[in-house]
Amino acid sequence: MNRRHFLQSSAAAGALASFPFSIRAADKAGPKKFRTALIGCGWWGNNILREAMASGACELVALCDVDSRQFDLTLKNGAGGTGATPKLYKDYRALLAEAKPEITIVGTPDHWHALPMIAAVKAGSHVYVEKPIGHTVMEGRAMVNAARATGRVVQVGTHRRISPHNVSGRDFIRAGKLGDIGMVRCFVHYGGGPERALPNVAVPKELDWDLWCGPAPLRPFNGGDPRNPSQGAGNRGIHPRGFRNYLDYANGTLGDWGIHWLDQVLWVTGEKYPKRIFSSGGRPIAGPAILNDKEQTTDAPDHQLATFSFDKFDVQWEHRRFSGNNTDKGENVGCYFYGTKGIFHMGWQKGWTFYPSDAKQPVVSEEPKLNSPDSQNIKELFADFLNAIRTGTKPVSDIGDVHLSTNMALLGMLSLKHGKSLEWDGEKEQIVGDPAANKLLRRDYRKGYEYPKV
C-alpha cells in the first residue's frame, strides 16, 4: 500500500505507529453493552441489526432513516437492548453528534456508504458498513484512510469470508488439492426479460427524497412502500429495494453480487490487484434505458462480461438478468476455480464441490451452514467484528481488504462505461496512460455535499 495514502495528516501518521488498529482505553475495558446505532433501516440494515441485538453485546440507542415508514419494523427488530427507546433521526450527522454511538451500522444504499462511515469513525465509533464500500474508487480510498487515521475497527458485510463452507473451501484450495490455478470464473445468472418503464409518482410524505438522493443526482421518484412486501424485492422502483440497478446510486449486478465473488478470489488466492481490466455488456433484452419527466427504467446492464488479468491467472465475471440458469454445475451464483487437478465450485446455498480431473477420483463436496432467516452468516461476521473491537485485532472483512475487492467491481463498471480496457496500477490506484479514465475514479457530488478528501 502506497505511503501517500496514509500520511495525509499528523493523525494518520500517529495511527501508523500502532497499525492496523489502535483501540482506546475505554474500548479495551469492554463495556457491558456497546451503544449502537443503525443508519439505514431498510431490509438489509434490519438483517444486520437482528444479529447485533442477538449478540447480547449491543444497546440500541438510535435509528436513522430518511423514510420514517422504515422505523416501526426496525424498532421491533431492535427490541431486547437495555435503556430507553432508541431515538429516531432523519440526518445521520445529528445522530452521531447527539447519540454518540460506540458502534454504528451503515446499511444505506451504496451512494450513502462513504459519508456516514467517515463521519462515524471521526466521531469515535466503530463501524459495520455494507458492501461495496463505496460508489467510486476514491470514496473507498477516503474510507480506508479515515479508518486508519482514527484507529477504528471497520468491518464490511462480505460475510462469505466467515461462512464455514467458504472457509473450508479456501483451506482445500490453499492445501494444493486443486493444483495450480489458471483461471477463475465468477457468475450470477437470474431470470428476467424486457423491462417496462415505471411511472414517476409523487414522493410519499414520510420520505425525504432529496436527502435520500443526497450526494448523487436527484432523479424523479418511482418507488413503492417498504411496509408492503409486494413492493419489496420485486419492485424495480428505486426505493425501497431497486436502487442497485440505477447507476446513479449503485453499480448494477457487478457492484452488488460481483463484490462477493470477486472478494472470494482475492481472499482465497491472496492476490491484491488485477493488472488489466476489460468489460462489455448492455441491455439487449431489458431494452434502452428511459428517463424523462413521466417515467423511467433502470439503466444498469442486463448482462455484463469482464476480464481481470493477474500475473498468474485470469478472472472472468459474467452475469445476466435473463434466461436463468438450469444447466450449469452447481448453483446459479458463485465462482469456479479451474486448476491443474480439477474444478472447484465455491457456491452459496449448496456449499462447495470439487470435480477432480482424474475420473477415478470421487467428487468431493461440503454442505453449507447458513443461518435463518436470510441464509447468510451475518451472525458470525458480527461476532468477529465485536471480537476485533475488544481485542484490537484485524477483522476478517477489514475495510482495507474489501476496498481491493470493491475496486475490482468498480473498475469493471468503469471499463464498461469508458468503452476501453484499463491498465491498473494497484499500488498508486491509478489507471495508466488514460487521463479520461482516471477522472472516473471519482465523481462530482451534488451541490451541498463535499466529496470525501483522499
Side-chain angles (χ1 to χ4, degrees):
M1 189 171 289
N2 195 308
R3 282 178 59 84
R4 73 176 179 83
H5 292 320
F6 289 115
L7 302 180
Q8 304 293 326
S9 65
S10 58
L16 276 173
S18 56
F19 182 81
F21 302 106
S22 59
I23 307 300
R24 296 181 302 189
D27 298 325
K28 289 180 179 179
K32 184 177 181 181
K33 288 184 181 288
F34 293 99
R35 294 175 55 81
T36 301
L38 171 63
I39 301 173
C41 298
W43 166 62
W44 200 256
N46 271 268
N47 284 343
I48 303 167
L49 179 63
R50 278 196 301 269
E51 298 300 349
M53 301 312 297
S55 74
C58 296
E59 173 192 355
L60 184 62
V61 297
L63 299 172
C64 179
D65 203 286
V66 298
D67 188 341
S68 62
R69 296 173 296 178
Q70 306 273 27
F71 287 136
D72 287 346
L73 176 61
T74 310
L75 285 168
K76 293 178 182 177
N77 286 330
T82 59
T85 301
K87 189 170 181 181
L88 307 181
Y89 294 86
K90 183 169 71 173
D91 192 315
Y92 71 91
R93 292 164 292 194
L95 180 154
L96 294 172
E98 297 175 12
K100 303 186 185 306
E102 295 162 297
I103 288 177
T104 302
I105 301 167
V106 178
T108 59
D110 298 8
H111 70 292
W112 262 120
H113 285 178
L115 294 180
M117 179 252 130
I118 292 171
V121 296
K122 288 183 175 180
S125 179
H126 303 287
V127 177
Y128 183 114
V129 61
E130 254 314 302
K131 56 78 196 167
I133 64 170
H135 186 270
T136 53
V137 171
M138 290 295 101
E139 276 186 344
R141 171 45 54 196
M143 295 166 78
V144 175
N145 286 357
R148 299 301 187 242
T150 58
R152 301 295 82 190
V153 175
V154 180
Q155 181 88 293
V156 185
T158 45
H159 44 80
R160 286 175 175 83
R161 283 183 172 230
I162 207 165
S163 295
H165 77 271
N166 294 79
V167 173
S168 68
R170 182 195 194 208
D171 292 342
F172 183 97
I173 294 173
R174 288 195 162 193
K177 297 178 181 179
L178 181 60
D180 295 330
I181 297 171
M183 182 180 125
V184 185
R185 181 169 67 92
C186 306
F187 62 98
V188 173
H189 298 148
Y190 282 113
E195 184 178 347
R196 291 183 296 177
L198 293 178
N200 301 326
V201 297
V203 178
K205 64 181 185 302
E206 300 94 341
L207 171 63
D208 187 332
W209 182 241
D210 185 272
L211 188 54
W212 189 100
C213 293
L218 180 65
R219 291 174 65 118
F221 177 73
N222 70 341
D225 188 337
R227 299 168 299 189
N228 186 345
S230 68
Q231 295 181 326
N235 177 27
R236 289 181 287 106
I238 302 170
H239 174 74
R241 288 176 60 181
F243 67 90
R244 294 194 184 280
N245 283 306
Y246 292 80
L247 297 182
D248 284 336
Y249 312 114
N251 279 281
T253 304
L254 181 54
D256 176 20
W257 269 108
I259 174 64
H260 279 298
W261 303 112
L262 297 175
D263 182 68
Q264 287 283 289
V265 174
L266 299 189
W267 179 65
V268 167
T269 65
E271 293 286 343
K272 293 184 177 180
Y273 325 112
K275 302 298 178 65
R276 289 172 299 280
I277 302 100
F278 176 72
S279 183
S280 62
R283 297 172 56 90
I285 304 301
I290 297 171
L291 175 60
N292 57 48
D293 59 350
K294 294 183 179 180
E295 60 185 12
Q296 60 183 306
T297 64
T298 68
D299 55 2
D302 63 21
H303 79 284
Q304 187 172 3
L305 305 170
T307 300
F308 305 86
S309 294
F310 293 81
D311 284 335
K312 296 182 179 180
F313 56 83
D314 288 331
V315 176
Q316 292 183 331
W317 163 262
E318 62 177 71
H319 82 256
R320 63 176 178 268
R321 290 189 282 121
F322 53 87
S323 295
N325 189 65
N326 299 312
T327 62
D328 214 345
K329 296 176 180 178
E331 299 184 74
N332 59 346
V333 300
C335 48
Y336 286 118
F337 292 82
Y338 298 96
T340 54
K341 296 181 180 180
I343 300 172
F344 185 97
H345 174 232
M346 186 79 86
W348 171 25
Q349 292 180 322
K350 295 182 181 178
W352 62 258
T353 304
F354 173 62
Y355 305 89
S357 297
D358 184 350
K360 296 179 181 179
Q361 298 297 318
V363 172
V364 183
S365 63
E366 181 169 318
E367 293 296 316
K369 297 177 182 177
L370 305 170
N371 302 321
S372 297
D374 47 34
S375 296
Q376 312 288 358
N377 291 103
I378 303 171
K379 175 182 179 179
E380 291 82 355
L381 191 63
F382 202 87
D384 177 81
F385 175 49
L386 293 171
N387 180 69
I389 294 171
R390 290 168 174 148
T391 63
T393 53
K394 182 179 179 180
V396 69
S397 287
D398 172 58
I399 190 167
D401 294 334
V402 185
H403 172 58
L404 303 179
S405 310
T406 299
N407 283 353
M408 285 187 68
L410 297 182
L411 289 168
M413 287 302 297
L414 196 158
S415 173
L416 179 68
K417 294 174 183 178
H418 193 47
K420 296 181 180 179
S421 61
L422 312 173
E423 184 176 346
W424 179 240
D425 185 331
E427 289 288 340
K428 295 181 179 179
E429 293 189 344
Q430 291 182 354
I431 298 166
V432 179
D434 194 334
N438 273 311
K439 290 181 180 179
L440 299 177
L441 295 175
R442 54 163 295 150
R443 67 170 174 174
D444 292 333
Y445 273 3
R446 197 156 59 100
K447 185 177 180 180
Y449 297 90
E450 183 178 355
Y451 195 92
K453 291 182 174 61
V454 174

